[in-house]
Amino acid sequence: MASMNYMSGIDLSNNNFVGAIPPEFGNLSEILPLNLSHNNLTGSIPATFSNLKYIESLDLSYNNLNGAIPPQLAKVTTLEDFSVAHNNLLGRTPERKYQFGTFDDENCYEGNPFLCGNCSEEAVPSQLVLMMYKEMMIS
């Protein structure tokens, strides 16, 4: 039986990085932890992060990320730690299944006033709709 070679991890926190997270990070399929916290990253969370088959820890906190959390992330079943706290994310948090059912909303998602957990369409603030419209106009 062939042994698996897992990349131990990447910690790029506190580096004053700016700009978008390259979607190619999703190609690091055998990485365990990925820490991009405490930078000035902007743009959205790449949907390619759903390709991180063995990731155990993903920390994107304290950046300026915006847009929705990709629903594809709910397919990642190996996550033990997840944080997108203190960004500008909006919309719904990932569906509460697999590992995402175990994350504490207060710690994982805090500091994102336009994110909501088990919210209905009526509960989405009108400011969220306005913010989404502005984002579409800028894009």
Side-chain angles (χ1 to χ4, degrees), residues 3 12 20 27 41 47 68 87 90 99 107 110 124 127:
S3 65
L12 298 174
N27 296 337
L41 297 170
N87 280 287
L90 51 86
Q99 294 304 103
N107 294 326
E110 73 180 352
V124 178
Q127 291 175 337

Side-chain angles (χ1 to χ4, degrees), residues 11-12 26 33 39 41 69 82 94 98 114 131-132:
D11 185 348
L12 298 174
N39 283 292
L41 297 170
I69 298 172
F82 175 73
Y98 306 123
F114 297 110
M131 185 181 239
M132 290 171 64

Side-chain angles (χ1 to χ4, degrees), residues 57-58 60 69 73 79-84 94 100 103 108-109:
S57 176
L58 179 59
L60 304 174
I69 298 172
L73 278 183
L79 269 176
E80 295 174 11
D81 295 304
F82 175 73
S83 181
V84 291
F100 278 87
F103 299 132
C108 297
Y109 304 113

